[in-house]
Short mmCIF file of all heavy atoms in Angstrom, two decimals:
data_model
loop_
_atom_site.label_atom_id
_atom_site.label_comp_id
_atom_site.label_asym_id
_atom_site.label_seq_id
_atom_site.Cartn_x
_atom_site.Cartn_y
_atom_site.Cartn_z
N ASP A 747 8.38 -11.02 8.22
CA ASP A 747 8.55 -10.99 9.67
C ASP A 747 7.20 -10.70 10.34
O ASP A 747 6.34 -10.04 9.77
CB ASP A 747 9.53 -9.86 10.07
CG ASP A 747 10.96 -10.21 9.76
OD1 ASP A 747 11.27 -11.40 9.56
OD2 ASP A 747 11.79 -9.28 9.70
N ARG A 748 7.06 -11.22 11.56
CA ARG A 748 5.89 -10.86 12.35
C ARG A 748 6.10 -9.45 12.89
O ARG A 748 7.11 -9.16 13.52
CB ARG A 748 5.70 -11.85 13.51
CG ARG A 748 5.30 -13.25 13.04
CD ARG A 748 5.09 -14.16 14.23
NE ARG A 748 4.67 -15.49 13.82
CZ ARG A 748 3.42 -15.85 13.60
NH1 ARG A 748 2.45 -14.96 13.77
NH2 ARG A 748 3.11 -17.08 13.22
N ALA A 749 5.16 -8.60 12.63
CA ALA A 749 5.28 -7.19 13.05
C ALA A 749 4.03 -6.81 13.82
O ALA A 749 2.99 -6.53 13.23
CB ALA A 749 5.47 -6.29 11.85
N ARG A 750 4.15 -6.81 15.14
CA ARG A 750 3.00 -6.49 15.99
C ARG A 750 2.85 -4.98 16.18
O ARG A 750 1.73 -4.45 16.21
CB ARG A 750 3.18 -7.18 17.34
CG ARG A 750 2.05 -6.95 18.34
CD ARG A 750 2.35 -7.68 19.64
NE ARG A 750 1.40 -7.39 20.70
CZ ARG A 750 0.24 -8.02 20.87
NH1 ARG A 750 -0.10 -8.98 20.03
NH2 ARG A 750 -0.57 -7.69 21.86
N ILE A 751 3.98 -4.28 16.29
CA ILE A 751 3.97 -2.85 16.57
C ILE A 751 4.39 -2.08 15.33
O ILE A 751 5.41 -2.39 14.70
CB ILE A 751 4.92 -2.53 17.75
CG1 ILE A 751 4.50 -3.33 18.98
CG2 ILE A 751 4.90 -1.04 18.03
CD1 ILE A 751 3.08 -3.05 19.46
N LEU A 752 3.62 -1.05 15.00
CA LEU A 752 3.83 -0.31 13.76
C LEU A 752 3.72 1.19 13.98
O LEU A 752 3.11 1.63 14.97
CB LEU A 752 2.79 -0.74 12.72
CG LEU A 752 2.76 -2.22 12.33
CD1 LEU A 752 1.40 -2.60 11.78
CD2 LEU A 752 3.85 -2.51 11.30
N ASP A 753 4.27 1.95 13.05
CA ASP A 753 4.07 3.39 12.99
C ASP A 753 3.19 3.68 11.78
O ASP A 753 3.46 3.19 10.68
CB ASP A 753 5.40 4.13 12.84
CG ASP A 753 6.32 3.95 14.04
OD1 ASP A 753 5.81 3.66 15.13
OD2 ASP A 753 7.54 4.09 13.85
N PHE A 754 2.15 4.50 11.96
CA PHE A 754 1.23 4.82 10.88
C PHE A 754 1.52 6.22 10.32
O PHE A 754 1.86 7.14 11.06
CB PHE A 754 -0.22 4.79 11.37
CG PHE A 754 -0.71 3.43 11.80
CD1 PHE A 754 -1.80 3.32 12.65
CD2 PHE A 754 -0.11 2.28 11.34
CE1 PHE A 754 -2.27 2.08 13.05
CE2 PHE A 754 -0.57 1.03 11.73
CZ PHE A 754 -1.65 0.92 12.58
N ASN A 755 1.31 6.35 9.04
CA ASN A 755 1.48 7.65 8.38
C ASN A 755 0.54 7.69 7.19
O ASN A 755 0.52 6.77 6.37
CB ASN A 755 2.93 7.81 7.90
CG ASN A 755 3.15 9.13 7.20
OD1 ASN A 755 2.70 10.17 7.65
ND2 ASN A 755 3.83 9.07 6.06
N ALA A 756 -0.28 8.72 7.09
CA ALA A 756 -1.23 8.85 5.98
C ALA A 756 -0.60 9.62 4.83
O ALA A 756 0.05 10.65 5.04
CB ALA A 756 -2.50 9.55 6.44
N VAL A 757 -0.75 9.10 3.61
CA VAL A 757 -0.30 9.80 2.42
C VAL A 757 -1.46 9.85 1.42
O VAL A 757 -2.36 9.01 1.48
CB VAL A 757 0.92 9.12 1.76
CG1 VAL A 757 2.12 9.16 2.70
CG2 VAL A 757 0.60 7.68 1.37
N VAL A 758 -1.43 10.82 0.54
CA VAL A 758 -2.49 11.01 -0.44
C VAL A 758 -1.89 10.96 -1.84
O VAL A 758 -0.91 11.64 -2.13
CB VAL A 758 -3.22 12.35 -0.22
CG1 VAL A 758 -4.26 12.58 -1.33
CG2 VAL A 758 -3.90 12.37 1.14
N ALA A 759 -2.49 10.11 -2.69
CA ALA A 759 -2.10 10.04 -4.10
C ALA A 759 -3.33 10.40 -4.92
O ALA A 759 -4.19 9.56 -5.18
CB ALA A 759 -1.61 8.64 -4.45
N PRO A 760 -3.47 11.67 -5.34
CA PRO A 760 -4.72 12.15 -5.94
C PRO A 760 -4.98 11.69 -7.36
O PRO A 760 -6.09 11.82 -7.86
CB PRO A 760 -4.58 13.67 -5.88
CG PRO A 760 -3.10 13.91 -5.89
CD PRO A 760 -2.50 12.75 -5.14
N ASP A 761 -3.94 11.17 -8.05
CA ASP A 761 -4.14 10.70 -9.42
C ASP A 761 -3.26 9.49 -9.66
O ASP A 761 -2.46 9.09 -8.80
CB ASP A 761 -3.84 11.81 -10.42
CG ASP A 761 -2.47 12.44 -10.23
OD1 ASP A 761 -1.49 11.68 -10.06
OD2 ASP A 761 -2.36 13.68 -10.24
N LEU A 762 -3.41 8.89 -10.83
CA LEU A 762 -2.71 7.64 -11.11
C LEU A 762 -1.21 7.83 -11.18
O LEU A 762 -0.44 6.95 -10.77
CB LEU A 762 -3.24 7.02 -12.41
CG LEU A 762 -3.06 5.50 -12.54
CD1 LEU A 762 -3.87 4.77 -11.50
CD2 LEU A 762 -3.45 5.04 -13.94
N ASP A 763 -0.75 8.97 -11.67
CA ASP A 763 0.70 9.22 -11.73
C ASP A 763 1.29 9.28 -10.33
O ASP A 763 2.37 8.72 -10.07
CB ASP A 763 0.98 10.53 -12.47
CG ASP A 763 0.76 10.42 -13.97
OD1 ASP A 763 0.77 9.29 -14.48
OD2 ASP A 763 0.58 11.47 -14.62
N ALA A 764 0.58 9.96 -9.41
CA ALA A 764 1.07 10.04 -8.04
C ALA A 764 1.04 8.68 -7.37
O ALA A 764 1.96 8.32 -6.62
CB ALA A 764 0.21 11.04 -7.25
N LEU A 765 0.01 7.90 -7.65
CA LEU A 765 -0.07 6.55 -7.08
C LEU A 765 1.05 5.67 -7.63
O LEU A 765 1.69 4.91 -6.88
CB LEU A 765 -1.43 5.94 -7.38
CG LEU A 765 -1.68 4.53 -6.86
CD1 LEU A 765 -1.53 4.46 -5.34
CD2 LEU A 765 -3.08 4.04 -7.27
N HIS A 766 1.31 5.78 -8.91
CA HIS A 766 2.38 5.02 -9.54
C HIS A 766 3.73 5.36 -8.89
O HIS A 766 4.53 4.46 -8.58
CB HIS A 766 2.41 5.31 -11.03
CG HIS A 766 3.34 4.43 -11.81
ND1 HIS A 766 3.92 4.81 -13.00
CD2 HIS A 766 3.82 3.19 -11.55
CE1 HIS A 766 4.69 3.85 -13.45
NE2 HIS A 766 4.66 2.85 -12.58
N GLN A 767 4.00 6.63 -8.68
CA GLN A 767 5.25 7.05 -8.06
C GLN A 767 5.37 6.52 -6.63
O GLN A 767 6.42 6.04 -6.20
CB GLN A 767 5.36 8.57 -8.07
CG GLN A 767 6.69 9.10 -7.52
CD GLN A 767 7.88 8.64 -8.33
OE1 GLN A 767 7.93 8.85 -9.54
NE2 GLN A 767 8.84 7.98 -7.67
N LEU A 768 4.26 6.61 -5.89
CA LEU A 768 4.25 6.11 -4.52
C LEU A 768 4.56 4.62 -4.47
O LEU A 768 5.42 4.16 -3.70
CB LEU A 768 2.90 6.39 -3.87
CG LEU A 768 2.66 5.73 -2.50
CD1 LEU A 768 3.66 6.23 -1.47
CD2 LEU A 768 1.22 5.98 -2.04
N LEU A 769 3.87 3.85 -5.30
CA LEU A 769 4.07 2.40 -5.30
C LEU A 769 5.49 2.04 -5.75
O LEU A 769 6.09 1.09 -5.24
CB LEU A 769 3.03 1.73 -6.20
CG LEU A 769 1.58 1.87 -5.74
CD1 LEU A 769 0.64 1.27 -6.78
CD2 LEU A 769 1.37 1.19 -4.39
N HIS A 770 6.02 2.81 -6.69
CA HIS A 770 7.40 2.58 -7.13
C HIS A 770 8.37 2.82 -5.97
O HIS A 770 9.30 2.04 -5.75
CB HIS A 770 7.72 3.48 -8.32
CG HIS A 770 9.07 3.25 -8.91
ND1 HIS A 770 10.20 3.91 -8.47
CD2 HIS A 770 9.48 2.40 -9.88
CE1 HIS A 770 11.25 3.50 -9.15
NE2 HIS A 770 10.84 2.59 -10.03
N ASP A 771 8.16 3.89 -5.23
CA ASP A 771 9.02 4.19 -4.09
C ASP A 771 8.93 3.11 -3.01
O ASP A 771 9.93 2.77 -2.36
CB ASP A 771 8.65 5.54 -3.48
CG ASP A 771 8.95 6.71 -4.41
OD1 ASP A 771 9.70 6.52 -5.40
OD2 ASP A 771 8.41 7.81 -4.17
N LEU A 772 7.73 2.56 -2.82
CA LEU A 772 7.53 1.55 -1.78
C LEU A 772 8.17 0.21 -2.12
O LEU A 772 8.33 -0.63 -1.22
CB LEU A 772 6.04 1.37 -1.52
CG LEU A 772 5.33 2.54 -0.83
CD1 LEU A 772 3.83 2.29 -0.77
CD2 LEU A 772 5.89 2.76 0.59
N LEU A 773 8.54 -0.01 -3.37
CA LEU A 773 9.18 -1.27 -3.74
C LEU A 773 10.45 -1.52 -2.93
O LEU A 773 10.78 -2.67 -2.63
CB LEU A 773 9.52 -1.28 -5.23
CG LEU A 773 8.36 -1.47 -6.21
CD1 LEU A 773 8.84 -1.29 -7.65
CD2 LEU A 773 7.73 -2.86 -6.03
N THR A 774 11.14 -0.46 -2.58
CA THR A 774 12.41 -0.61 -1.85
C THR A 774 12.27 -0.37 -0.35
O THR A 774 13.27 -0.46 0.38
CB THR A 774 13.47 0.34 -2.43
OG1 THR A 774 12.97 1.69 -2.38
CG2 THR A 774 13.79 -0.02 -3.87
N ARG A 775 11.08 -0.05 0.11
CA ARG A 775 10.87 0.17 1.55
C ARG A 775 10.37 -1.14 2.17
O ARG A 775 9.17 -1.38 2.27
CB ARG A 775 9.89 1.32 1.77
CG ARG A 775 10.47 2.67 1.38
CD ARG A 775 9.52 3.80 1.66
NE ARG A 775 9.08 3.86 3.05
CZ ARG A 775 8.26 4.79 3.55
NH1 ARG A 775 7.78 5.74 2.75
NH2 ARG A 775 7.91 4.77 4.81
N ARG A 776 11.30 -1.97 2.54
CA ARG A 776 10.96 -3.33 2.95
C ARG A 776 10.47 -3.43 4.39
O ARG A 776 10.21 -4.53 4.87
CB ARG A 776 12.16 -4.25 2.72
CG ARG A 776 12.51 -4.38 1.23
CD ARG A 776 13.48 -5.51 0.95
NE ARG A 776 13.57 -5.75 -0.48
CZ ARG A 776 14.49 -5.24 -1.29
NH1 ARG A 776 15.40 -4.41 -0.79
NH2 ARG A 776 14.51 -5.53 -2.57
N ASP A 777 10.33 -2.30 5.04
CA ASP A 777 9.76 -2.30 6.39
C ASP A 777 8.36 -1.70 6.40
O ASP A 777 7.79 -1.45 7.47
CB ASP A 777 10.65 -1.53 7.36
CG ASP A 777 10.82 -0.06 6.97
OD1 ASP A 777 10.36 0.33 5.87
OD2 ASP A 777 11.42 0.69 7.76
N THR A 778 7.78 -1.50 5.22
CA THR A 778 6.52 -0.76 5.13
C THR A 778 5.50 -1.51 4.28
O THR A 778 5.85 -2.14 3.28
CB THR A 778 6.77 0.64 4.53
OG1 THR A 778 7.67 1.36 5.38
CG2 THR A 778 5.48 1.42 4.39
N CYS A 779 4.23 -1.43 4.69
CA CYS A 779 3.13 -1.95 3.90
C CYS A 779 2.00 -0.92 3.89
O CYS A 779 2.10 0.13 4.53
CB CYS A 779 2.64 -3.30 4.45
SG CYS A 779 1.85 -3.19 6.08
N ILE A 780 0.93 -1.22 3.17
CA ILE A 780 -0.20 -0.31 3.00
C ILE A 780 -1.42 -0.88 3.71
O ILE A 780 -1.64 -2.10 3.71
CB ILE A 780 -0.50 -0.11 1.50
CG1 ILE A 780 0.67 0.58 0.81
CG2 ILE A 780 -1.79 0.70 1.30
CD1 ILE A 780 0.56 0.58 -0.71
N LEU A 781 -2.23 0.00 4.30
CA LEU A 781 -3.50 -0.38 4.92
C LEU A 781 -4.61 0.48 4.31
O LEU A 781 -4.42 1.67 4.06
CB LEU A 781 -3.46 -0.18 6.43
CG LEU A 781 -2.32 -0.83 7.21
CD1 LEU A 781 -2.36 -0.39 8.67
CD2 LEU A 781 -2.38 -2.34 7.11
N ARG A 782 -5.80 -0.12 4.12
CA ARG A 782 -6.95 0.66 3.65
C ARG A 782 -7.51 1.56 4.74
O ARG A 782 -8.05 2.63 4.47
CB ARG A 782 -8.08 -0.29 3.21
CG ARG A 782 -8.12 -0.64 1.76
CD ARG A 782 -9.39 -1.40 1.43
NE ARG A 782 -10.57 -0.58 1.56
CZ ARG A 782 -11.13 0.10 0.56
NH1 ARG A 782 -10.61 0.04 -0.65
NH2 ARG A 782 -12.22 0.83 0.75
N GLY A 783 -7.43 1.10 5.98
CA GLY A 783 -8.07 1.81 7.08
C GLY A 783 -7.48 3.19 7.31
O GLY A 783 -6.33 3.48 6.98
N ALA A 784 -8.30 4.05 7.91
CA ALA A 784 -7.87 5.41 8.26
C ALA A 784 -7.33 5.43 9.68
O ALA A 784 -7.80 4.68 10.55
CB ALA A 784 -9.05 6.37 8.15
N ILE A 785 -6.35 6.28 9.93
CA ILE A 785 -5.80 6.45 11.28
C ILE A 785 -6.86 7.12 12.15
O ILE A 785 -7.36 8.20 11.82
CB ILE A 785 -4.52 7.30 11.23
CG1 ILE A 785 -3.47 6.64 10.33
CG2 ILE A 785 -3.96 7.50 12.64
CD1 ILE A 785 -2.28 7.52 10.03
N ARG A 786 -7.21 6.50 13.27
CA ARG A 786 -8.24 7.06 14.14
C ARG A 786 -7.77 8.32 14.85
O ARG A 786 -8.53 9.28 15.01
CB ARG A 786 -8.66 6.02 15.18
CG ARG A 786 -9.65 4.98 14.67
CD ARG A 786 -10.08 4.07 15.79
NE ARG A 786 -11.05 3.10 15.33
CZ ARG A 786 -12.36 3.24 15.40
NH1 ARG A 786 -12.87 4.36 15.90
NH2 ARG A 786 -13.18 2.30 14.96
N ASP A 787 -6.53 8.30 15.31
CA ASP A 787 -6.03 9.41 16.13
C ASP A 787 -4.57 9.63 15.77
O ASP A 787 -3.72 8.78 16.05
CB ASP A 787 -6.19 9.05 17.61
CG ASP A 787 -5.69 10.15 18.54
OD1 ASP A 787 -5.25 11.21 18.04
OD2 ASP A 787 -5.73 9.95 19.77
N GLU A 788 -4.28 10.76 15.13
CA GLU A 788 -2.90 11.05 14.73
C GLU A 788 -1.95 11.09 15.93
O GLU A 788 -0.75 10.85 15.80
CB GLU A 788 -2.85 12.38 13.98
CG GLU A 788 -3.55 12.38 12.63
CD GLU A 788 -2.75 11.67 11.56
OE1 GLU A 788 -1.61 11.25 11.84
OE2 GLU A 788 -3.27 11.53 10.44
N ALA A 789 -2.49 11.39 17.11
CA ALA A 789 -1.65 11.43 18.31
C ALA A 789 -1.34 10.03 18.83
O ALA A 789 -0.50 9.87 19.71
CB ALA A 789 -2.36 12.24 19.40
#
């Protein structure tokens, strides 16, 4: 789908196990994707 408007949320995966768990969880979150960029303003 075209998604112009989004909600941002920063998460931290400090090791490969945490990253693996995060990516596994995201498999079923079909409204969410990942961005490399940092959130400029949490507000």
Side-chain angles (χ1 to χ4, degrees):
D747 285 342
R748 292 181 178 273
R750 180 180 174 86
I751 303 300
L752 301 157
D753 296 336
F754 295 159
N755 179 45
V757 296
V758 175
D761 53 46
L762 204 65
D763 287 340
L765 180 59
H766 188 206
Q767 184 61 55
L768 170 62
L769 296 175
H770 184 271
D771 293 344
L772 290 174
L773 285 174
T774 56
R775 291 183 56 178
R776 296 193 169 96
D777 60 353
T778 299
C779 67
I780 296 169
L781 306 174
R782 266 188 68 93
I785 301 170
R786 280 184 178 266
D787 180 2
E788 293 284 356

